[in-house]
Amino acid sequence: MPLYIYAFLTAMVIAYVATPGIIKLAWKIGAIDVPRDSRRVHKKPIPRLGGLAIFIAFAAVGLVTLPLNFSSIKGMLLGGAFIVIIGILDDIYSLPPKVKLLGQVAAAGILLLFGLKVEWVTNPLGGMFYLGKWSIPITLFWVVGITNTLNFIDGLDGLAAGIAAIASITMMLVNLSLHQINAVLVTALLAGAAVGFLPHNFNPARIFMGDTGAMFLGFILSAVAIDGAVKSATAIALIVPILALGLPIFDTAFAILRRFMNGKPIMQADKGHLHHRLMAIGLSQKQAVLFMYFVSLSLGICSIILAKIGMKEAVIALCVVLFTLMFSIRQLNISHEAKKSTHSM
């Protein structure tokens, strides 16, 4: 059995087995999500420390399977542990947004200390751009940005865990083709841990991953994307994770723009995310999550096409995905309006 398959399966089993114990721990220490406003979809208190099970599975198997002599791997593990500590504190005490942001920047700084940063950007017209002094702020922006995309989209049972698993598997397959063995192992571990946690988190959820899980998943995905880009020095290595995480990236970017245009704080939560809009046009929680899984999987397939076939074919596939997405949402909206009209008669 290939090592990455072993890593995936072992992490999956550990996350699945560890989660019931984390549920008990969360109740004991008060890491509970109590719905206090209409934005919350759930109606009763639910533990929110599930990300700890994901981290335990990732770290336990990672310490055995990952090559710890690589500075990039050390940086990911230490930075991941730090972001988990910030997440645990937030899940228990609800830290102010500025404190969480500082914690995310500090975790990204750990990656920089271990030499993990974006130094080159591929020029689509040919050649490479050396970022020089800009490599540090761009790396910080990338890591903090991707860390928050998973955090922002974590609004429905099983949504963030499923999308993280899809993105991780996508990146694992692409890294296999690029022969980036370390990146393959890291993404296999992350995918296994997310999949093992998912049965406890899917609707109706017994536990949420909380900021502990959402930030950890986003942080590791951002770090492994940088590591792959540094080692392969190709545009594909950085474009693939952008496509694989296209759904949460788009949703986060749209949320920031929407809040800015409305004069609201960027970190202030609202009900304008895609999953909220899908439920507003009549989908149930499960249906909305499965719809977003499908979109995320389609974008993942586009990134695999890009890596294995070419840019032209990937662009065609992406256009088909976007057209299908817009058409589907339009049809759902028409169907919902028709039902409303029928009920009002």
Side-chain angles (χ1 to χ4, degrees), residues 182-243:
N182 289 353
V184 170
L185 283 172
V186 172
T187 47
L189 285 167
L190 206 63
V195 170
F197 172 72
L198 194 53
H200 302 283
N201 182 234
F202 199 73
N203 184 260
R206 296 175 56 218
I207 185 171
F208 296 152
M209 67 167 61
D211 278 16
T212 305
M215 291 198 301
F216 174 71
L217 290 169
F219 177 83
I220 296 298
L221 284 170
S222 69
V224 77
I226 294 173
D227 192 39
V230 168
K231 288 185 171 61
S232 62
T234 64
I236 290 175
L238 207 53
I239 294 173
V240 164
I242 293 174
L243 265 179

Side-chain angles (χ1 to χ4, degrees), residues 17-30:
V17 172
T19 302
I22 300 299
I23 292 175
K24 294 178 181 178
L25 175 64
W27 281 109
K28 187 174 182 180
I29 64 177

Side-chain angles (χ1 to χ4, degrees), residues 256-273:
I256 291 172
L257 179 62
R258 179 178 65 249
R259 292 164 192 172
F260 176 78
M261 296 295 289
N262 292 330
K264 295 181 179 179
I266 290 175
M267 300 298 286
Q268 180 178 312
D270 58 26
K271 294 194 72 171
H273 290 283

Side-chain angles (χ1 to χ4, degrees), residues 23-93:
I23 292 175
K24 294 178 181 178
L25 175 64
W27 281 109
K28 187 174 182 180
I29 64 177
I32 308 298
D33 193 315
V34 180
R36 294 188 175 93
D37 54 57
S38 59
R39 189 181 63 86
R40 302 290 186 181
V41 177
H42 62 290
K43 304 302 180 185
K44 62 180 183 179
I46 295 179
R48 58 179 178 188
L49 199 63
L52 185 55
I54 294 174
F55 173 71
I56 288 171
F58 179 92
V61 185
L63 290 173
V64 176
T65 59
L66 293 174
L68 301 179
N69 56 314
F70 282 82
S71 60
S72 59
I73 296 297
K74 293 177 184 177
M76 286 186 211
L77 289 172
L78 290 174
F82 183 84
I83 206 77
V84 164
I85 292 171
I86 299 298
I88 291 172
L89 292 173
D90 184 61
D91 286 339
I92 297 173
Y93 302 110

Side-chain angles (χ1 to χ4, degrees), residues 9-330:
L9 293 175
T10 309
M12 181 178 67
V13 171
I14 291 176
Y16 180 80
V17 172
T19 302
I22 300 299
I23 292 175
K24 294 178 181 178
L25 175 64
W27 281 109
K28 187 174 182 180
I29 64 177
I32 308 298
D33 193 315
V34 180
R36 294 188 175 93
D37 54 57
S38 59
R39 189 181 63 86
R40 302 290 186 181
V41 177
H42 62 290
K43 304 302 180 185
K44 62 180 183 179
I46 295 179
R48 58 179 178 188
L49 199 63
L52 185 55
I54 294 174
F55 173 71
I56 288 171
F58 179 92
V61 185
L63 290 173
V64 176
T65 59
L66 293 174
L68 301 179
N69 56 314
F70 282 82
S71 60
S72 59
I73 296 297
K74 293 177 184 177
M76 286 186 211
L77 289 172
L78 290 174
F82 183 84
I83 206 77
V84 164
I85 292 171
I86 299 298
I88 291 172
L89 292 173
D90 184 61
D91 286 339
I92 297 173
Y93 302 110
S94 296
L95 300 175
K98 289 182 179 179
V99 174
K100 281 198 295 184
L101 181 60
L102 287 173
Q104 293 166 2
V105 172
I110 293 174
L111 294 180
L112 291 170
L113 288 174
F114 281 86
L116 201 56
K117 58 184 177 180
V118 182
E119 293 186 281
W120 298 87
V121 174
T122 301
N123 182 352
L125 300 178
M128 304 280 287
F129 288 123
Y130 178 63
L131 295 176
K133 63 182 180 180
W134 289 100
S135 65
I136 291 177
I138 288 175
T139 299
L140 291 175
F141 178 80
W142 169 262
V143 175
V144 172
I146 297 300
T147 298
N148 279 300
T149 59
L150 265 296
N151 201 19
F152 282 3
I153 207 170
D154 185 25
L156 296 180
D157 297 354
L159 181 56
I163 287 178
I166 292 169
S168 298
I169 291 171
T170 298
M171 291 169 66
M172 181 186 75
L173 293 174
V174 172
N175 282 312
L176 266 174
S177 68
L178 296 174
H179 307 291
Q180 301 294 331
I181 304 305
N182 289 353
V184 170
L185 283 172
V186 172
T187 47
L189 285 167
L190 206 63
V195 170
F197 172 72
L198 194 53
H200 302 283
N201 182 234
F202 199 73
N203 184 260
R206 296 175 56 218
I207 185 171
F208 296 152
M209 67 167 61
D211 278 16
T212 305
M215 291 198 301
F216 174 71
L217 290 169
F219 177 83
I220 296 298
L221 284 170
S222 69
V224 77
I226 294 173
D227 192 39
V230 168
K231 288 185 171 61
S232 62
T234 64
I236 290 175
L238 207 53
I239 294 173
V240 164
I242 293 174
L243 265 179
L245 289 164
L247 183 58
I249 288 174
F250 165 80
D251 191 61
T252 299
F254 186 75
I256 291 172
L257 179 62
R258 179 178 65 249
R259 292 164 192 172
F260 176 78
M261 296 295 289
N262 292 330
K264 295 181 179 179
I266 290 175
M267 300 298 286
Q268 180 178 312
D270 58 26
K271 294 194 72 171
H273 290 283
L274 179 58
H275 52 272
H276 290 127
R277 294 175 182 270
L278 288 172
M279 292 182 68
I281 60 176
L283 294 188
S284 67
Q285 263 211 70
K286 285 182 179 178
Q287 289 171 333
V289 169
L290 292 173
F291 182 87
M292 294 182 76
Y293 282 178
F294 172 76
V295 175
S296 189
L297 180 61
S298 299
L299 291 172
I301 291 172
C302 288
S303 66
I304 293 172
I305 291 173
L306 170 64
K308 291 186 173 293
I309 302 176
M311 179 69 76
K312 180 180 177 181
E313 291 79 3
V315 170
I316 293 172
L318 181 60
C319 290
V320 171
V321 169
L322 293 176
F323 174 80
T324 304
L325 173 62
M326 290 186 290
F327 179 78
S328 300
I329 291 177
R330 182 174 181 273

